[in-house]
Amino acid sequence: LNVFPRGIFFDAPVDHDGGEAGQTGCIELDQMLGGGFGFGTSTLIMGQAGIGKSLLATLFVRHVLASGLPASVFLFDETPRSYLSRADALCMDLKEFFDSELLSLTKIEPSAISPGDMIARIRQAVEVQNTKLIVIDSLDGYFSALPTEKFLMNQLHDLLSYLASRGVATILITAQHGLIDQNLRDASAFPVSYLADNLILLRFFEAAGKMRRAIAVIKSRSSPHDHYIHEMAIVGGVGLQVGKPLSKFHGILTGNPTYMGPIEELLQDAGGN
């Protein structure tokens, strides 16, 4: 019989360097974040379905593992096998880390888990496996495991506070509904956005007859960040590619951009995988 307390009770914070920054492995993305993401902080990645949210989080995971630090990923939307296969297809082989148990992949069934059980699994990853990066993919699945929005926010606030006190970086993924949203209400009204230290927004936009991807850092509490919107491409065999600021575009985040420059300045592989 396992009994899970409603709140998260933990001892005094573990000493860690609050200024310590983790790298993503993508120089351009690190620059956008003001040097990388910080251990002891939380990052929320928002965007439409299929835009590359999980890929972006996997980039964080791969670089943390390569530095010799453990990482734990809690999967609501796919299996560990499909997660590893997708990473391998984008030249981010994680199998060696999974086999060595440096990487932990946990498949979560929302209908078969309680909030307390979920919290207990995360605490075990931190206190037993000494993980330094927690990824919840996605929050939409996490929400369905909790009874009410008020209880959800209390649980999530306590969880993020606990992870911050342990010097653990947290990556949260959530989807925006609809392929093209005409406004930014989702980014500002999403109930958990104010809890996250960093907010990364991914958006589709159309240019020259192709669906392209844009990335922007909406906020970063730990360091000054890039305020420009950049193009992002997912290229098979390469992974993530971040272009120069889309300074000649207007209205990208509305879904109705106007381009004032030559098409040659855009990423040529933006229409790839």
Side-chain angles (χ1 to χ4, degrees):
L1 176 65
N2 293 323
V3 178
F4 306 110
R6 181 165 182 169
I8 303 178
F9 305 98
F10 48 92
D11 298 327
V14 175
D15 290 335
H16 68 278
D17 183 3
E20 183 182 9
Q23 304 298 304
T24 65
C26 178
I27 296 176
E28 295 81 5
L29 181 57
D30 288 335
Q31 292 174 345
M32 290 182 66
L33 289 167
F37 65 95
F39 287 102
T41 67
S42 57
T43 301
L44 176 64
I45 302 175
M46 295 183 64
Q48 294 101 333
I51 199 168
K53 301 182 298 297
S54 295
L55 167 67
L56 189 57
T58 304
L59 194 70
F60 285 59
V61 171
R62 177 66 176 81
H63 207 70
V64 166
L65 293 171
S67 65
L69 299 175
S72 298
V73 182
F74 294 87
L75 301 166
F76 287 88
D77 305 323
E78 62 180 323
T79 64
R81 175 179 292 184
S82 64
Y83 182 88
L84 293 173
S85 297
R86 178 170 49 79
D88 183 58
L90 294 167
C91 293
M92 292 189 289
D93 185 14
L94 301 178
K95 191 175 186 304
E96 60 176 304
F97 300 108
F98 181 71
D99 292 339
S100 65
E101 298 185 351
L102 197 65
L103 170 63
S104 172
L105 299 175
T106 305
K107 178 69 175 77
I108 301 295
E109 293 294 342
S111 61
I113 191 172
S114 69
D117 191 0
M118 180 69 187
I119 297 288
R121 296 188 189 198
I122 293 176
R123 290 191 63 178
Q124 181 179 23
V126 173
E127 298 174 10
V128 178
Q129 301 170 353
N130 296 316
T131 189
K132 294 298 292 181
L133 175 64
I134 293 287
V135 177
I136 299 179
D137 186 3
S138 64
L139 279 180
D140 303 87
Y142 184 76
F143 289 174
S144 62
L146 296 168
T148 66
E149 181 176 327
K150 181 179 179 180
F151 186 54
L152 159 69
M153 298 311 296
N154 291 338
Q155 284 274 4
L156 201 54
H157 180 272
D158 288 349
L159 175 61
L160 294 179
S161 296
Y162 163 74
L163 293 172
S165 75
R166 305 286 300 195
V168 177
T170 309
I171 306 295
L172 309 170
I173 299 173
T174 188
Q176 286 181 285
H177 299 292
L179 185 63
I180 298 293
D181 195 346
Q182 301 300 319
N183 53 62
L184 295 179
R185 287 181 300 173
D186 287 350
S188 60
F190 189 68
V192 76
S193 61
Y194 78 94
L195 292 178
D197 298 303
N198 310 309
L199 177 56
I200 300 176
L201 180 64
L202 307 181
R203 301 285 290 184
F204 281 116
F205 70 100
E206 183 271 337
K210 289 184 178 181
M211 291 297 296
R212 299 174 181 266
R213 297 171 170 90
I215 180 171
V217 176
I218 303 299
K219 74 171 181 177
S220 176
R221 289 176 181 162
S222 58
S223 62
H225 64 89
D226 190 331
H227 294 278
Y228 285 95
I229 302 169
H230 294 250
E231 185 179 4
M232 182 187 81
I234 300 173
V235 184
V238 177
L240 187 73
Q241 187 178 5
V242 176
K244 296 180 180 179
L246 296 170
S247 57
K248 296 182 181 179
F249 267 99
H250 299 282
I252 291 177
L253 299 185
T254 68
N256 294 309
T258 301
Y259 187 45
M260 308 301 293
I263 195 66
E264 289 77 16
E265 294 185 5
L266 297 176
L267 293 175
Q268 297 305 305
D269 293 326
N273 297 329

